[in-house]
Amino acid sequence: MAKNRKDEVPGASRGRGLVIIFGILDVFCAAFLVISLIASPGSPVSASVPVETLPAFEENLDHYGAAADNSETYTSGNSVVYNSPTAPETTAAVPETTAPTVPAAEDSTQLYAGFLFPDSATVLITEAEIAARANSKELCQRAINEIYARHGYQFTKQENLDYFNQYAWYVGMPKVTDQEIISQQLNGIEKTNVATITNYMTARNWG
């Protein structure tokens, strides 16, 4: 014959209830301890992140001059501080300029003003100088005329008179109308220069 619940040991059911209550309390305590540890501000949590090398880099290690070390780890606790560089002050450069040189007006009172070759009485004239200063029939003829004008030759062509009469050095000197007399007064350098200019003109059919 089965036993009636009244046959159970008194207090057994109450003991099982206490065990269940204590079990629940233990679970809550354990959960609270875990939450406390996680939420604790002083507990450092660092995760190791392995440094991986890209396959493309591994295939070209020889070109970079150093072997890759895959054993290094980087911890998340490390911090990197980047200081933004201050942009240097710049000053706009002002290009140095020079005022253009304005040629002074020729002084008509200056000795031998208007000459193409002022030193033709003391310096031999070269063909290069003629090409640079008197590269035309008119200018070559003027270069010869100025040698004669230096000795006071009285020109017969009005254009020559108009040109040399604008210079005080020519107006104030005595004039000679005989070209042969003037030719005899020329020194050796002047005669050579006349011949050089004449030959330059002849070579170009400017006679």
Side-chain angles (χ1 to χ4, degrees):
M1 182 176 177
K3 285 187 178 183
N4 193 313
R5 289 187 177 272
K6 293 181 180 181
D7 296 334
E8 294 181 353
V9 179
S13 60
R14 183 171 51 184
R16 284 196 296 273
L18 291 176
V19 170
I20 293 173
I21 292 173
F22 281 118
I24 294 173
L25 289 177
D26 288 341
V27 171
F28 276 111
C29 289
F32 178 77
L33 180 61
V34 171
I35 293 174
S36 298
L37 290 176
I38 294 176
S40 176
S43 60
V45 178
S46 63
S48 296
V49 180
V51 178
E52 296 183 359
T53 304
L54 295 176
F57 184 84
E58 292 177 348
E59 294 176 1
N60 297 279
L61 288 179
D62 294 339
H63 298 287
Y64 294 97
D69 185 4
N70 294 330
S71 62
E72 283 191 33
T73 58
Y74 177 80
T75 58
S76 60
N78 294 338
S79 61
V80 178
V81 179
Y82 176 78
N83 295 323
S84 177
T86 303
E89 295 183 2
T90 58
T91 303
V94 179
E96 184 177 352
T97 59
T98 303
T101 302
V102 178
E106 187 177 37
D107 185 1
S108 61
T109 62
Q110 186 179 359
L111 183 61
Y112 304 142
F115 269 48
L116 294 172
F117 299 98
D119 300 327
S120 58
T122 56
V123 178
L124 292 175
I125 300 173
T126 65
E127 289 191 2
E129 290 174 327
I130 297 173
R133 304 185 195 179
N135 194 21
S136 71
K137 177 181 178 179
E138 293 74 20
L139 291 178
C140 284
Q141 188 61 57
R142 183 191 299 178
I144 294 174
N145 290 346
E146 66 189 22
I147 294 176
Y148 280 80
R150 184 188 289 118
H151 293 272
Y153 178 66
Q154 181 69 47
F155 294 97
T156 57
K157 289 185 178 181
Q158 190 62 42
E159 59 184 87
N160 293 330
L161 288 173
D162 292 342
Y163 180 79
F164 288 105
N165 279 334
Q166 63 183 321
Y167 300 108
W169 62 266
Y170 180 77
V171 173
M173 69 189 326
K175 303 298 188 295
V176 178
T177 58
D178 191 340
Q179 188 175 6
E180 289 300 325
I181 295 176
I182 298 297
S183 296
Q184 293 174 6
Q185 294 177 0
L186 302 182
N187 62 33
I189 293 178
E190 289 175 317
K191 291 178 180 178
T192 301
N193 285 336
V194 170
T196 301
I197 298 172
T198 301
N199 292 337
Y200 187 91
M201 296 174 63
T202 302
R204 290 158 179 75
N205 295 321
W206 291 350

